Amino acid sequence: MATGGEEEDQARMAAIADSLQNRDAMRLYNWVSHRCFSDCVTTFYRRALGKKEEDCVRSCVRKFLLLSASAAAAPSSLDD
């Protein structure tokens, strides 16, 4: 049976874990945004992305999402 102190410690640890997870998610989002923008956006004379730029950004983000999904699935495949 958990005591009051242990429950407080668990709640504190959960809050810290949530905070770290949010921080890491934001860092990752910023990194992907910067990377895809730097790789794909080449002209700055109009407000909207050109067709090639838009396709490049979509492809870049799609590759990142596929990589993330396969990386997340890898540890579970080791259990099989």
Side-chain angles (χ1 to χ4, degrees):
M1 181 178 237
T3 64
E6 289 177 16
E7 289 175 1
E8 288 176 10
D9 288 344
Q10 289 176 350
R12 236 181 278 135
M13 290 302 291
I16 290 170
D18 285 345
S19 175
L20 291 173
Q21 189 174 24
N22 288 337
R23 183 199 65 191
D24 289 346
M26 287 303 300
R27 283 183 178 172
L28 195 55
Y29 173 81
N30 288 333
W31 180 82
V32 170
S33 297
H34 181 266
R35 177 67 190 259
C36 292
F37 182 87
S38 296
D39 288 352
C40 298
V41 179
T42 57
T43 57
F44 298 95
Y45 60 87
R46 59 180 177 251
R47 290 179 178 240
L49 293 175
K51 175 78 171 126
K52 288 182 181 179
E53 291 172 329
E54 186 174 342
D55 290 344
C56 180
V57 170
R58 287 181 192 277
S59 176
C60 180
V61 172
R62 186 180 312 113
K63 286 177 185 178
F64 168 76
L65 291 174
L66 289 172
L67 177 66
S68 296
S70 63
S76 64
S77 67
L78 296 174
D79 293 338
D80 296 342

